[in-house]
Amino acid sequence: MAQEFIRKTVKQTAQANMPDYQQEVADFSWETAAGLLDGLPDGRINIAHEAIDRHLANGKGDKVALRWIAKDGERFDYTYLDLAERSNRFANVLRTLGVEKGERVYSLLGRVPELYIAALGTLKAGAVFCPLFSAFGPEPLKSRMEIGNAKLLVTSKRLYKRKVAALRGELPNLTEILLIDGEENNEDLHNLPHMMVSASEEFVVEPMEREDPALLHFTSGTTGKPKGAVHVHGAVVAHHVTGRIALDLHAKDVYWCTADPGWVTGTSYGIIAPLTNGVTMIVDEAEFDATRWYKILEEEHVTVWYTAPTAIRMLMKTGMDLPKARDLSRLRFMASVGEPLNPEAVIWGVEVFGMPFHDNWWQTETGGIMIANYASMDVKPGSMGKPLPGITAGIVEKTNGGVRELTKPSAIGELALRPGWPSMMRTYLHEEARYKKCFVDDWYLSGDLAMRDSDGYFWFVGRADDVIKSAGHLIGPFEVESALLEHEAVAEVAIIGIPDEIVGEIVKAYVALKPGYEPDEDLRLDLVGHARKRLGPAVAPKEIAFRKNLPKTRSGKIMRRLLKARELGLPEGDISTLESDEQ
Ligand code: ATP
Ligand code: MG
């Protein structure tokens, strides 16, 4: 793996919210971090107060909080005051409908302003917000609404007709539907704009206990059936502080998180963290499009950009001409999450934008960033960085009934965290036993394998389920994928292990090619040769299969388990989050 540092300049370091990582680690406490926020009387708290109303009291009401870019390119600005008034109205609408503290409010919306207003209004009312990804089909929608016993759903006429109407018979508890573009009130199909107009724009934010539930988020379903992780209001302390030190958000930033709020990144870092940090955030309604994305970065003067490896690889695939034609000089910090970020992609960032992508690692369960490359810290391409101040991360291995920490540098084991940070999930809804299984000997076990080098940087190895054992070697898919991705023809790659009587498992690669390359025998041999040179014959793939696309979750994660099930003719398991895949 690439071990060379990308060194930070003195300027980058001095201007960062966290100029000195070691110092922050020494000084950090969650109580001090909580002190960066207002809180409410009697030790209470509410995420929406910290995200919105706090800024009004500080005279920032007129600042643009959300700049929405509609699919047709038209832009609409919402100030902090606009969001305050609209979320108050929404909270009042919920009260009119009898929604109580702790009840769950679901949304099924694309990235439209109403989604953001509904999220904030729900939190203000003390209800639990559960965003559903708008591209889900009826089955995943039904199961998620069943698990959370959904009573109220905010959606649009189109999505309602296409996806929800037919499910109503199977969801007897779903009694209130708020349509953002609704017609006249029709029994339980409410016209939200009408209700918003007649609702008061005054609302006293519900003071919540730190431990009161605020959000229900389903995991991506990469390794199996998605789990419903419950997060609490006190989590906002972690959202805020990670926005501050891991994404280096300053109030003057124009910030763009490309994730959809249907996934945890789109809520923690697409709504809460940017707003608590008082930035202007960009929301683009449209799906990925390289030309459009570069245009947004240039025209909106984006300074901080948080995106994902799949998107970065798609940008890499479209080449250098598009970015070279743009003035991207306002960008000053770029981060990535969701999947391993190959060193190639980090270095590409330097070539195209003059700065690396800063990889960070976390999960739906952790609610916020746990391991990161920081603005002031040198980057090792391919590494996830170092634990957040306030977080203790370790590499552990299972023993008889317990776990043992592996302290030797470069030892591979399960990535584990000491519990106790505010944004940790409080349960998997209705799956208490599964939740409890994540905690052993005072460690939270992530299910990912990683290693820590002698400088304290963490390196992702693979999902525990995806690691390959071949002829006595433990092979992490990430390392093999990164090596193949260095080849000029390769756009995407996934590695799996196929059972083999002699060596245990053999390494097989699935490769999607960049435009202009043909999947022929010469290229296959060339790729095998390249991998052998980079990795040695024991680790290099023995088999290579070409695919147009690789199967991914709707949050953009490669589903290696599905490739393996198909390869072995086994049942495909839960594929509710699978994006349509062309084989
Ligand atoms: P499920 O738990 O349902 O199988 P999932 O784990 O993909 O799905 P998420 O919580 O959305 O659901 O994703 C978290 C996982 O994504 C991490 O456990 C890790 O495997 C992967 N991941 C996130 N960030 C990184 C990163 N920077 N490097 C490597 N892997 C990452
Ligand atoms: Mg997971």
Side-chain angles (χ1 to χ4, degrees):
M1 275 186 193
Q3 289 281 337
E4 314 82 42
F5 285 106
I6 297 174
R7 299 280 176 196
K8 289 293 165 66
T9 64
V10 174
K11 190 171 157 225
Q12 284 164 332
T13 300
Q15 289 174 356
N17 283 329
M18 178 173 67
D20 184 340
Y21 173 76
Q22 289 306 343
Q23 189 62 45
E24 186 79 22
V25 169
D27 294 347
F28 189 91
S29 84
W30 286 109
E31 272 320 301
T32 313
L36 297 170
L37 296 170
D38 267 3
L40 295 170
D42 304 323
R44 307 289 181 89
I45 197 162
N46 188 304
I47 295 177
H49 170 81
E50 306 301 343
I52 299 293
D53 295 2
R54 186 165 72 98
H55 302 298
L56 270 51
N58 294 337
K60 303 257 180 63
D62 291 338
K63 177 169 180 175
V64 175
L66 188 167
R67 167 162 295 164
W68 181 59
I69 306 172
K71 275 191 191 142
D72 65 6
E74 206 177 335
R75 300 138 96 223
F76 299 84
D77 283 351
Y78 295 79
T79 63
Y80 278 90
L81 180 62
D82 291 334
L83 289 187
E85 289 176 355
R86 285 169 168 78
S87 56
N88 283 350
R89 287 179 193 271
F90 189 84
N92 281 315
V93 168
L94 294 182
R95 286 284 184 271
T96 313
L97 294 171
V99 174
E100 302 282 339
K101 207 166 130 171
E103 277 187 56
R104 279 180 278 273
V105 168
Y106 277 70
S107 69
L108 174 64
L109 290 167
R111 287 181 297 280
V112 292
E114 289 83 351
L115 170 59
Y116 297 79
I117 291 161
L120 295 162
T122 300
L123 294 168
K124 281 189 169 177
V128 178
F129 188 63
C130 179
L132 297 170
F133 189 48
S134 61
F136 275 148
E139 199 43 49
L141 293 177
K142 189 183 113 200
S143 65
R144 282 162 182 75
M145 285 195 273
E146 268 172 355
I147 294 175
N149 192 19
K151 178 178 152 195
L152 188 147
L153 174 71
V154 191
T155 185
S156 67
K157 268 191 309 205
R158 192 179 63 91
L159 288 169
Y160 179 77
K161 279 189 194 131
R162 281 185 36 208
K163 302 190 174 187
V164 184
L167 297 174
R168 293 298 297 278
E170 297 167 74
L171 294 169
N173 295 326
L174 182 63
T175 49
E176 315 288 353
I177 310 282
L178 293 175
L179 297 175
I180 61 165
D181 47 1
E183 285 148 11
E184 285 314 305
N185 280 3
N186 161 12
E187 292 185 10
D188 58 358
L189 292 184
H190 302 284
N191 179 321
L192 182 59
H194 279 190
M195 295 183 84
M196 290 282 278
V197 170
S198 41
S200 163
E201 62 183 36
E202 303 290 328
F203 186 83
V204 179
V205 168
E206 194 67 47
M208 306 301 286
E209 301 289 347
R210 283 188 187 187
E211 288 301 304
D212 280 337
L215 298 158
L216 170 63
H217 266 298
F218 289 90
T219 60
S220 289
T222 316
T223 57
K225 187 168 172 280
K227 300 143 272 188
V230 175
H231 291 285
V232 296
H233 274 271
V236 66
V237 174
H239 298 142
H240 181 72
V241 87
T242 48
R244 209 179 122 72
I245 63 182
L247 299 179
D248 196 39
L249 295 177
H250 292 64
K252 60 178 189 282
D253 278 315
V254 176
Y255 164 77
W256 186 23
C257 168
T258 60
D260 188 281
W263 310 104
V264 73
T265 307
T267 303
S268 295
Y269 298 101
I271 307 180
I272 303 170
L275 295 177
T276 65
N277 281 285
V279 307
T280 294
M281 62 179 199
I282 303 294
V283 172
D284 182 24
E285 184 185 16
E287 292 313 313
F288 175 86
D289 175 88
T291 306
R292 183 176 171 109
W293 276 33
Y294 287 119
K295 184 169 184 275
I296 291 176
L297 290 171
E298 177 183 48
E299 290 183 358
E300 303 306 335
H301 297 171
V302 172
T303 56
V304 178
W305 184 32
Y306 195 19
T307 189
T310 305
I312 297 169
R313 286 194 293 265
M314 287 199 282
L315 291 175
M316 289 168 75
K317 202 165 146 181
T318 58
M320 302 289 258
D321 294 348
L322 289 176
K324 287 277 176 259
R326 299 278 173 189
D327 173 7
L328 303 169
S329 58
R330 307 289 174 116
L331 261 175
R332 64 166 190 84
F333 189 77
M334 312 193 301
S336 162
V337 72
E339 281 222 300
L341 185 67
N342 314 89
E344 197 66 9
V346 178
I347 291 158
W348 181 80
V350 178
E351 282 167 21
V352 174
F353 302 96
M355 73 199 90
F357 282 100
H358 295 75
D359 186 23
N360 56 54
W361 175 95
W362 59 291
Q363 308 177 299
T364 308
E365 290 85 342
T366 69
I369 297 169
M370 294 284 112
I371 296 180
N373 287 285
Y374 305 96
S376 58
M377 198 173 84
D378 297 338
V379 170
K380 290 193 191 190
S383 160
M384 307 187 287
K386 292 188 180 185
L388 191 84
I391 295 295
T392 306
I395 303 293
V396 305
E397 77 176 359
K398 292 202 168 93
T399 56
N400 278 341
V403 295
R404 182 172 78 88
E405 190 174 1
L406 303 175
T407 48
K408 229 174 68 208
S410 305
I412 294 176
E414 188 160 354
L415 177 56
L417 306 164
R418 289 277 185 215
W421 67 95
S423 64
M424 180 65 202
M425 66 165 167
R426 295 306 193 265
T427 190
Y428 285 134
L429 195 63
H430 308 317
E431 291 192 271
E432 192 62 19
R434 201 168 176 188
Y435 168 75
K436 289 221 169 89
K437 259 181 76 180
C438 301
F439 299 89
V440 181
D441 287 349
D442 205 22
W443 284 104
Y444 162 73
L445 303 180
S446 70
D448 288 342
L449 295 190
M451 62 116 165
R452 177 176 37 203
D453 69 17
S454 50
D455 295 318
Y457 282 70
F458 282 71
W459 299 76
F460 186 79
V461 171
R463 307 259 188 168
D465 296 349
D466 292 339
V467 167
I468 301 160
K469 290 186 197 81
S470 187
H473 297 272
L474 196 65
I475 301 173
F478 178 48
E479 188 182 6
V480 185
E481 289 165 8
S482 292
L484 277 173
L485 211 66
E486 285 169 8
H487 192 283
E488 58 186 7
V490 177
E492 276 189 321
V493 52
I495 299 289
I496 63 165
I498 301 173
D500 179 87
E501 275 182 14
I502 299 163
V503 292
E505 281 184 302
I506 60 164
V507 180
K508 174 161 184 173
Y510 290 83
V511 172
L513 297 174
K514 283 187 185 153
Y517 289 92
E518 286 305 315
D520 56 23
E521 186 56 18
D522 284 350
L523 182 56
R524 201 187 61 77
L525 291 174
D526 197 38
L527 287 175
V528 171
H530 168 81
R532 288 189 166 209
K533 211 157 60 201
R534 287 283 289 103
L535 301 163
V539 177
K542 299 270 181 302
E543 289 184 24
I544 293 190
F546 293 106
R547 291 282 183 274
K548 275 215 174 66
N549 283 306
L550 301 179
K552 291 192 207 80
T553 65
R554 291 191 177 277
S555 53
K557 294 165 195 277
I558 296 174
M559 290 172 98
R560 295 173 188 80
R561 71 169 160 101
L562 192 57
L563 287 170
K564 189 158 178 170
R566 287 175 178 169
E567 176 75 41
L568 304 179
L570 296 170
E572 294 195 344
D574 185 300
I575 51 165
S576 61
T577 60
L578 178 67
E579 201 178 50
S580 61
D581 65 326
E582 209 182 325
Q583 287 177 51

